[in-house]
Amino acid sequence: MIRYIFMFFILTPFFCGAAENGFNHPGVFVSLKQLQYVKDNLSREPWKSAYEKVLQDPLADKHYEPTPWSTVECGSSSNPNNGCTDEVRDAQAAYTQALLWRLSGETVYAENVRKILNAWANTLTGGHTNSNGPLQASWAATMFTRAAEIVKYTYTSWPQSEKNKVTKLFAEQYYPDISRMFSGSYACYNKNWHASAIEAMLNIAIFNKNTNWFNSAIEKWHSLVPSYIYLSSDGSRPKNASWCSRNDSQINAYWNNPKSYVDGLTQESCRDFEHTAYGLAAIINTAETARLQHIDLYQNKSSNAQMRIIKAMELHSAYQTAALSDKLCQNYDGYKLNTKGTFEVGFNQYSVRQGLDLPHTSEFLVSTRPTKGHFHYLWETLTHGLVGDRN
């Protein structure tokens, strides 16, 4: 598989932007053609309201000041919280302002991205520690890399020396911490962790132009998706990921005791829908970034990705719009129904681009637009809401 992906980069023509070392840039989550389409349609919905929501958010403050830490220490639920909130907020602000740079053309936003990235590149030397360290690194890196990729290839006033420091930051202060997710005690954590890690690893690989890291992230994604989203064709129990094996007596507890395994159920659905959203958003957004690099994960046959992702979005949207009310889990009758902030990217792919029918997801998104998001996914209505095929 790894050799095949490498050859795919070499032989396939690139459809937008300039190819460098096999990668398309800017090519992390959003393309320039896509952002130009949004910019051209800011007077229309859903982009008009989404843009106004972004501009009103503190993350869009033109006078934003970063708060870098030399070491970020994050325990469970960010306790202790030594730089955790500051780092994620700065990463989200960097991405937010990178989008505003492209949508408004105001250089103050690009300069703010540069300021935030430089602050962390010049300060963070001790990585991410304590129990939530790998997850924290994943969330921050996902947003930082999106911002850095946009500004690196569109803002000529960012000196190469500073870009080099950011490249080193991702390679030395993020990638090693994120990689810890797939070994030791972390290997069998809830899989939104691994989904977040894979997205961050892919983004770093593209920004740092590292083919081996890219291929590794793609390979992990192939294993993650069937182990996170269940289909009846899997049999009586869900599949295992290559880095974590649960036997038949352990699997129900690991999946938080569902009443039964149904199509689209995730490993965390019976935990709560918010953590489920963390996992599904990262899975979908990884596929979106891979698409910009000419890898079609959305329709990957080995993982049956299209069926799994569609079923997951439809199942969880149906519960949130009250289209379904049957008890899904053994442990409780109600659900923490909060996947708000995501599914726009997956809906745009499967419904708008491919023309497939996702009625529950459509109803859910109409009722929640425009959305903000959480941690490692943000402003999906603005960037992907009904944009179609604009790459």
Side-chain angles (χ1 to χ4, degrees):
M1 174 59 73
I2 293 176
R3 181 180 302 170
Y4 172 78
I5 292 172
F6 179 74
M7 291 299 294
F8 195 87
F9 285 148
I10 295 176
L11 297 176
T12 304
F14 291 84
F15 55 81
C16 77
E20 293 185 31
N21 294 343
F23 292 106
N24 194 39
H25 299 289
V28 173
F29 192 58
V30 292
S31 72
L32 292 186
K33 286 186 178 180
Q34 178 181 351
L35 293 178
Q36 185 62 48
Y37 176 81
V38 173
K39 181 178 181 178
D40 292 341
N41 287 277
L42 287 177
S43 62
R44 301 171 54 214
E45 297 295 353
W47 308 287
K48 181 177 184 294
S49 297
Y51 188 59
E52 291 170 353
K53 188 179 183 74
V54 174
L55 289 173
Q56 293 166 7
D57 195 277
L59 297 174
D61 185 357
K62 290 182 179 180
H63 303 288
Y64 188 92
E65 290 295 330
T67 310
W69 290 65
S70 58
T71 300
V72 178
E73 182 187 11
C74 304
S76 179
S77 300
S78 293
N79 184 20
N81 184 343
N82 293 320
C84 318
T85 301
D86 290 337
E87 183 182 34
V88 168
R89 183 176 58 246
D90 283 356
Q92 291 181 329
Y95 175 56
T96 299
Q97 304 226 4
L99 292 177
L100 291 175
W101 150 237
R102 295 309 306 164
L103 296 177
S104 74
E106 294 186 54
T107 57
V108 61
Y109 293 120
E111 279 295 315
N112 281 344
V113 176
R114 176 185 171 192
K115 178 171 62 176
I116 294 167
L117 290 170
N118 286 342
W120 282 91
N122 291 325
T123 305
L124 184 64
T125 57
H128 302 79
T129 63
N130 216 313
S131 59
N132 269 33
L135 182 61
Q136 172 73 21
S138 300
W139 287 346
T142 295
M143 289 293 166
F144 275 144
T145 48
R146 289 183 189 181
E149 181 80 357
I150 292 170
V151 173
K152 179 178 180 179
Y153 293 98
T154 65
Y155 186 58
T156 57
S157 295
W158 193 17
Q160 186 61 46
S161 61
E162 294 179 5
K163 296 176 187 177
N164 293 342
K165 284 186 178 181
V166 172
T167 301
K168 183 179 179 181
L169 171 74
F170 293 150
E172 296 183 0
Q173 300 301 318
Y174 287 94
Y175 197 88
D177 289 336
I178 296 167
S179 298
R180 290 190 282 123
M181 194 90 76
F182 298 91
S183 61
S185 61
Y186 291 111
C188 286
Y189 271 35
N190 287 299
K191 285 191 170 62
N192 79 80
W193 284 54
H194 305 105
S196 299
I198 290 166
E199 182 182 5
M201 294 167 82
L202 191 79
N203 292 4
I204 291 173
I206 293 167
F207 185 85
N208 284 29
K209 304 176 187 176
N210 191 310
T211 302
N212 289 335
W213 288 357
F214 184 93
N215 291 337
S216 176
I218 295 292
E219 185 177 20
K220 286 179 171 63
W221 191 94
H222 286 153
S223 183
L224 170 72
V225 173
S227 71
Y228 192 69
I229 306 171
Y230 175 81
L231 289 178
S232 56
S233 57
D234 296 335
S236 61
R237 51 149 291 168
K239 295 177 178 289
N240 286 318
S242 60
W243 54 85
C244 172
S245 180
R246 294 293 192 185
N247 61 38
D248 290 348
S249 64
Q250 298 170 324
I251 196 69
N252 285 343
Y254 186 50
W255 278 61
N256 299 284
N257 299 303
K259 183 179 179 182
S260 62
Y261 291 105
V262 297
D263 285 351
L265 187 78
T266 78
Q267 185 259 317
E268 296 181 277
S269 299
C270 288
R271 180 187 183 191
D272 59 60
F273 280 20
E274 181 175 341
H275 286 88
T276 297
Y278 299 169
L280 290 176
I283 285 171
I284 294 167
N285 294 348
T286 297
E288 184 71 3
T289 293
R291 183 177 182 273
L292 297 180
Q293 304 299 331
H294 307 292
I295 303 295
D296 188 359
L297 296 182
Y298 280 121
Q299 299 181 78
N300 176 258
K301 290 185 173 20
S302 67
S303 61
N304 204 352
Q306 176 169 305
M307 181 67 72
R308 292 183 194 276
I309 294 171
I310 289 176
K311 289 291 187 181
M313 290 196 299
E314 283 289 276
L315 177 70
H316 294 85
S317 295
Y319 273 96
Q320 291 174 117
T321 58
L324 289 178
S325 59
D326 292 342
K327 186 174 180 180
L328 189 62
C329 311
Q330 294 180 16
N331 292 346
Y332 53 89
D333 294 322
Y335 304 94
K336 300 174 184 176
L337 302 178
N338 185 11
T339 63
K340 185 177 180 181
T342 190
F343 293 171
E344 289 278 19
V345 184
F347 185 80
N348 185 62
Q349 169 63 28
Y350 293 119
S351 182
V352 183
R353 287 175 182 154
Q354 294 182 219
L356 302 178
D357 188 26
L358 282 74
H360 298 305
T361 308
S362 178
E363 182 181 358
F364 172 65
L365 289 174
V366 167
S367 70
T368 57
R369 288 186 183 123
T371 58
K372 180 176 180 178
H374 300 282
F375 299 118
H376 59 297
Y377 56 98
L378 207 61
W379 311 127
E380 289 186 6
T381 303
L382 178 66
T383 59
H384 289 80
L386 308 180
V387 299
D389 192 355
R390 304 294 170 184
N391 297 326

